[in-house]
Amino acid sequence: MKKVQFSRPLFPYLLLVPQLSIIMIFFYWPAAEAIRASFYLEDPFGFGSTFVGLDNYRDTLSGSEYGRVAWFTLIFTTLVAFFSLAIALLLAVKADTVLRGARSYRVALMWVYAIAPPVAGLMAILLFDQRLGPFTHMAQFFGWDFTLGVNYWDTATAMVIVSVWKQIPINFIFFLAGLQSIPRSVREAALIDNPNGLSRFFSVTFPLLAPTGFFLLIINITYALFDTFGVVDLIHKGEPGNNPVTLVYKVFLDGFRGGDLGGSSAQSVILMVLVLILTVVQFRFMERRVHYN
Amino acid sequence: MAHVILDSVRKTYPNGYKAVHGADFNISDGEFIVLVGPSGCGKSTLLRMIAGLEDVTDGEIIIGDTVVNDVDPARRDIAMVFQNYALYPHMTVRQNMAYGLKNQRMSKDAIAERITEAAKTLRLEEFLERKPGQLSGGQRQRVAMGRAIVRNPKVFLFDEPLSNLDAKLRTQLRAELKALHKRLSGTFVYVTHDQVEAMSLADRIIIMSAGQVEQIGTPMDLYLQPASRFVADFIGSPSMNMLQGTIGADGHTVDMGNESTLRFAAPIDAQPGTKVDVGIRPEHLQATSSSAAQFGLTVDFIEQLGADTVVHGKLTGQTDPLTLRLTGVHSIATGESFSLHSALENIHLFDSATGKRLN
């Protein structure tokens, strides 16, 4: 890294101001506000607030609803992260070996990334619609009475499918780049050393993709936990009722639909702590087992 | 150990590029063959076809008694050493060497035994538990060789294995490689663009140019009797002087212009009046008295190499460059003139149009 000397000592700070102000306004300030609000009982119409200490946390964590949502979020995140990584890896490995028309294949696999989440949700609603949806018809053909928005697990299935579909392209791009950064000669050496393609993949290619995979795992867990809000919202069509929701969606429901700003703030704070723990755990324990070149 | 036969092997890439135009040769059991040529001549493609990393467009490759065109690289019983080592970065040196053997379902004890022996041969014992990232370039290349040795293959393939190393290490590993070949008495096929490497290592050299085999022979064959102007120019450093001449009327002489004429005892295999390139190696030119002179040299500059002095200049009165190599230390000034002479058996004649050897 090159060291630059500034003649005026305040100048570098001035250069940092735009970045810092964005972080301040959009992260630190709301975070601090959430922590503050989690200790108060807020009037839903803004006519004042009462300090209640840890009551909001106690209410949240003791409610059976919260446990159920947390449990669902765990299952949802696991499924979304696993399938979007596994399918993307499979596609990347296959696309990597294509010689003719490689570019068109890659574009075809990547373009989903350019679709905005609300549009993706809308497409999902059409796809899974109870009367019109092709997916519903196909499910019925196989004897599965698929009812989006009515059956808890059917709705969950749709949520997982759409979220996975939306996340595959970015994973694909990273995996493909990762595959292409493995030196050709190393793969050729493996070709000479091992006649079995599958075993070759798991003993040579996969370990060398580990840095990419580790990075993507974090990205995907974060995505499934937080960025699927739009997909969840559209699939519920604003009527969550008895349908599955994730923890992030519950923050929104309780705060803005239920008017319980204090409780929802407490939930946000719990999520913040969860993310912090998750990040520390991932970096501490998993990075050690990953080979970096 | 096995012999390798290439029977009119051709390679055309899907984009239409013809990399190899038909290679025909036999490599005997235990022979050290070096494929040499400038970059893009098809030597690496040929090696990769023997390894099975490239498809063969046409012709047959036979290792031992088997046609291997459609045999998987891992089942050809070959081992390859790559230019950039191609070690598995996530495995230790021991695991790198064991990987191929494990996939052959060899027993653990047998694997350990082979690794111990190879490590001893290559002085790698203390590095066995390290990862490639913790080794120097020379050590990595030794590991790559170790990985080849433990497999005890029919044929060893080397793709410019020393090109990424510095000059001193290269010389050292070259000697080790030669010793290794003697020890293992295996069949070695070695690709390089470095003619010194080719000359010092090979039992026989296959010299290639633009997808064609130019000449196959021992290093001394290539040096003393180059089959074409290309071979003459490629082998030897500094490279051979090429002067212009014309075949004389009686078919025994070459008119060099400047009133000097070379007279050969045997008739030259060309029509009188044919333009020829007269090739003389810088080390075969000798300073002589002006009466015996065949050529005159006017000095431009000299290179003092210690053991040798290389004199660069021009043919007197002309613009053709001429290089002279003298043993020992000489002090020569720019503009000085030399009268030069070369024994006729050291003069090579090539057809100017086709590049083929004429004498």
Side-chain angles (χ1 to χ4, degrees), chain B residues 179-241:
Chain B
L180 196 66
H181 177 248
K182 213 168 228 167
R183 224 183 112 100
L184 299 170
S185 59
T187 309
F188 279 35
V189 185
Y190 186 106
V191 162
T192 179
H193 62 269
D194 180 351
Q195 53 105 5
V196 178
E197 231 168 87
M199 296 291 275
S200 59
L201 287 172
D203 290 332
R204 278 194 306 157
I205 293 175
I206 298 174
I207 180 164
M208 293 184 67
S209 154
Q212 307 268 15
V213 173
E214 288 276 336
Q215 189 174 0
I216 303 176
T218 65
M220 284 310 109
D221 284 346
L222 268 60
Y223 180 79
L224 297 171
Q225 289 282 313
S228 67
R229 190 177 48 208
F230 174 82
V231 178
D233 190 55
F234 195 85
I235 300 289
S237 174
S239 51
M240 190 185 274
N241 294 301

Side-chain angles (χ1 to χ4, degrees), chain A residues 47-150:
Chain A
F47 293 124
S49 51
T50 323
F51 183 79
V52 292
L54 289 171
D55 277 3
N56 283 327
Y57 291 94
R58 214 167 286 135
D59 285 353
T60 298
L61 292 174
S62 59
S64 66
E65 170 71 3
Y66 194 77
R68 212 162 74 99
V69 172
W71 186 237
F72 174 75
T73 307
L74 181 70
I75 295 171
F76 176 77
T77 304
T78 312
L79 289 175
V80 170
F82 175 78
F83 281 112
S84 51
L85 285 171
I87 295 171
L89 180 58
L90 183 73
L91 290 173
V93 168
K94 290 296 170 198
D96 190 42
T97 54
V98 171
L99 294 175
R100 247 172 240 271
R103 207 172 278 260
S104 344
Y105 274 108
R106 285 170 200 171
V107 170
L109 286 164
M110 283 177 206
W111 73 276
V112 177
Y113 186 55
I115 297 175
V119 179
L122 206 62
M123 286 167 74
I125 287 170
L126 291 171
L127 204 60
F128 297 108
D129 187 272
Q130 276 191 46
R131 276 170 295 278
L132 306 168
F135 183 88
T136 312
H137 291 164
M138 197 178 77
Q140 273 162 358
F141 180 79
F142 289 106
W144 175 13
D145 190 16
F146 186 87
T147 48
L148 180 73
V150 176

Side-chain angles (χ1 to χ4, degrees), chain A residues 100 183-196 199-201 203-205 207-208 291 293, chain B residues 14 48 51 53 72-75 78-80 82 84 86-91 96 99-100 103 147 151:
Chain A
R100 247 172 240 271
R184 191 169 79 145
S185 58
V186 170
R187 292 210 232 173
E188 287 174 346
L191 217 55
I192 291 173
D193 272 343
N194 190 345
N196 182 328
S199 139
R200 203 160 55 221
F201 176 80
S203 54
V204 176
T205 314
L208 293 178
H291 161 81
N293 278 326
Chain B
R48 292 166 56 79
L53 300 172
D72 212 60
R75 302 194 195 280
I78 49 138
M80 184 151 165
F82 293 84
N84 57 2
L87 300 175
Y88 309 119
H90 59 296
M91 298 184 192
N96 261 285
Y99 184 63
N103 293 317
R147 191 167 66 178
R151 302 194 56 175

